[in-house]
Amino acid sequence: MADEIILLDFWPSMFGMRVRLALAEKGLKYEYKEEDLRNKSPLLLEMNPVHKKIPVLIHNGKPICESLIIVQYIDEVWHDKSPLLPSDPYQRAQARFWADYVDKKLYELGRKIWSTKGEEQETAKKEFIECLKLLEGELGDKPYFGGEKIGFVDVALVTFSCWFHAYESFGNFSIEAECPKLIAWTKRCMEKESVSSSLEDPHKVHGFVMGMKKKLGIE
Amino acid sequence: MAEEVKLFGTWASPFSRRIEVALKLKGVQFEYIEENLSNKSPALLEYNPVHKKIPVLVHNGKPVAESLVILEYIDETWKHNPILPTDPYEKAIARFWAKYIDDKLWPAATKVLVSKGEEQKGVTEEIQEQLKTLESELKGKKFFGGESLGFVDIAANIIVFLLVAQEALGLMEILTEEQFPVLHEWYQRLVDDAVFKECVPPRERHLGFFKVRFGSSTASK
């Protein structure tokens, strides 16, 4: 029996993009369902009653929620192709640690960059760059966080890169000037079909954020 | 080469205690180092430069940080007495609930101890809803992990800390048998478990800890 895979998602979500990327890496066919977050579908509310959030992966009728949990699930079920996590327990722990670090820091800081002004925004920008520099240090001289191939941390982080243009524009700063190695890594990732087909156009994302700012009454 | 396992923790931290439970369930010998969080050791700062927090597990000189990451590391390194299921779907569910506990229950639990009046009432209701949600996940099992303690049960040790804190501060009891018949029974089983109960802070000292830290008496500090 063929696998039935459905992804409930919202196009600008960097979390949803992680799942798209993992599915693409594994070469999996799936049905993509776009959610209107102001009018959530009965399916989303049924499949993620606890958080009512995207992304949700529905595999043969069974839902999995939380993007990094979904990515690990995909990696474990379709373990024969393009493994995202290493096999060594210590290296797996390091990958999980850094993916968790991305989750703990980047979304909130990024949000503050486009939605606040003055000192709050400056502090967020400074911290954001510090986080990226730390990640740059972790990347070191490797082509990818996963080593020779993209791995779990690459998947966790690269989806934020299509939001960088929006952050830079609304925050009035240059990420490349501060973190050239990291930007080089994002370009390297984008050369892969799985990445370029899973990430959104940064200009579209910029337009989306502009719309959000208008709606929230932020100039 | 002999295994060298060290755990940097603090006696009153549920995150630190989680690691003790896992190591003891697996019968792993370890050296415990009590940290003073207002005067962190050079070793801790070296082993966890990113967050500078406990717990940190150091296995043959290599550090692992973040309690849920450490739990998975322990489960993958010492494979007997597994704490996570082998089935990928069941594993995803376990990870989901442990994350729920850390992302929702923990912030609400710390908030309820520092808030007052209407705000405290609101957070208390939030916690009750979260406990109801957790309760529905038990589904007739002895533990979230099934017949024995698993990943989610270990993560849920936060509930023990919450209840002790509430008692220390004279707050209304949250996990009553009337409101949560199933979860209450699970809780009794959890705190009675031979391994788990070795890894709970000594009661009187723990009550005193909360009174000093969060009590609103007029006594000067």
Side-chain angles (χ1 to χ4, degrees), chain A residues 129-149:
Chain A
I129 292 294
E130 272 167 27
C131 290
L132 292 188
K133 285 199 159 130
L134 197 63
L135 285 159
E136 240 185 2
E138 178 55 24
L139 179 65
D141 292 323
K142 306 193 295 285
Y144 305 100
F145 286 90
E148 292 303 311
K149 299 213 209 107

Side-chain angles (χ1 to χ4, degrees), chain A residues 85-129:
Chain A
L85 274 152
S87 46
D88 171 67
Y90 184 73
Q91 284 176 23
R92 289 161 74 84
Q94 295 313 301
R96 288 180 176 131
F97 174 87
W98 286 107
D100 174 70
Y101 178 81
V102 172
D103 261 9
K104 277 181 161 70
K105 301 279 185 185
L106 289 196
Y107 181 76
E108 272 317 305
L109 289 173
R111 198 190 154 86
K112 282 190 178 158
I113 290 173
W114 66 257
S115 67
T116 67
K117 287 193 299 220
E119 209 177 312
E120 198 180 353
Q121 191 189 49
E122 287 306 308
T123 306
K125 278 158 64 177
K126 190 162 157 279
E127 270 185 56
F128 186 79
I129 292 294

Side-chain angles (χ1 to χ4, degrees), chain A residues 54-114:
Chain A
I54 58 89
V56 180
L57 190 80
I58 311 173
H59 182 207
N60 295 333
K62 302 205 291 194
I64 303 105
C65 309
E66 297 298 308
S67 65
L68 293 182
I69 293 176
I70 300 172
V71 171
Q72 285 187 87
Y73 174 80
I74 290 169
D75 201 41
E76 286 162 15
V77 173
W78 292 279
H79 50 82
D80 293 334
K81 186 167 179 201
S82 304
L84 296 171
L85 274 152
S87 46
D88 171 67
Y90 184 73
Q91 284 176 23
R92 289 161 74 84
Q94 295 313 301
R96 288 180 176 131
F97 174 87
W98 286 107
D100 174 70
Y101 178 81
V102 172
D103 261 9
K104 277 181 161 70
K105 301 279 185 185
L106 289 196
Y107 181 76
E108 272 317 305
L109 289 173
R111 198 190 154 86
K112 282 190 178 158
I113 290 173
W114 66 257

Side-chain angles (χ1 to χ4, degrees), chain A residues 48 50-51 53 62-66 69 72-73 76-77 88-90 92-94 96-98 100-101 103-105 134, chain B residues 48 50-51 62-66 69 72-73 76-77 79 87-93 95-97 99-100 103-104 133:
Chain A
N48 191 358
V50 175
H51 299 301
K53 286 180 167 184
K62 302 205 291 194
I64 303 105
C65 309
E66 297 298 308
I69 293 176
Q72 285 187 87
Y73 174 80
E76 286 162 15
V77 173
D88 171 67
Y90 184 73
R92 289 161 74 84
Q94 295 313 301
R96 288 180 176 131
F97 174 87
W98 286 107
D100 174 70
Y101 178 81
D103 261 9
K104 277 181 161 70
K105 301 279 185 185
L134 197 63
Chain B
N48 191 0
V50 175
H51 299 303
K62 303 204 290 193
V64 183
E66 291 302 303
V69 175
E72 293 220 34
Y73 175 77
E76 288 172 4
T77 303
K79 297 195 197 325
D87 172 68
Y89 187 75
E90 296 302 317
K91 207 183 269 197
I93 299 298
R95 286 175 176 144
F96 176 89
W97 288 108
K99 187 175 202 289
Y100 178 82
D103 287 355
K104 301 282 180 189
T133 303

Side-chain angles (χ1 to χ4, degrees), chain B residues 26-50:
Chain B
K26 306 271 187 176
V28 176
Q29 302 281 71
F30 64 100
E31 181 193 344
Y32 176 78
I33 295 122
E34 176 73 21
E35 278 288 325
N36 174 359
L37 296 183
S38 40
N39 187 19
K40 292 171 183 178
S41 72
L44 176 62
L45 300 177
E46 182 198 327
Y47 286 132
N48 191 0
V50 175

Side-chain angles (χ1 to χ4, degrees), chain B residues 52-73:
Chain B
K52 304 175 177 48
K53 286 181 168 182
I54 56 89
V56 180
L57 185 81
V58 182
H59 183 203
N60 294 332
K62 303 204 290 193
V64 183
E66 291 302 303
S67 67
L68 297 183
V69 175
I70 301 171
L71 289 181
E72 293 220 34
Y73 175 77

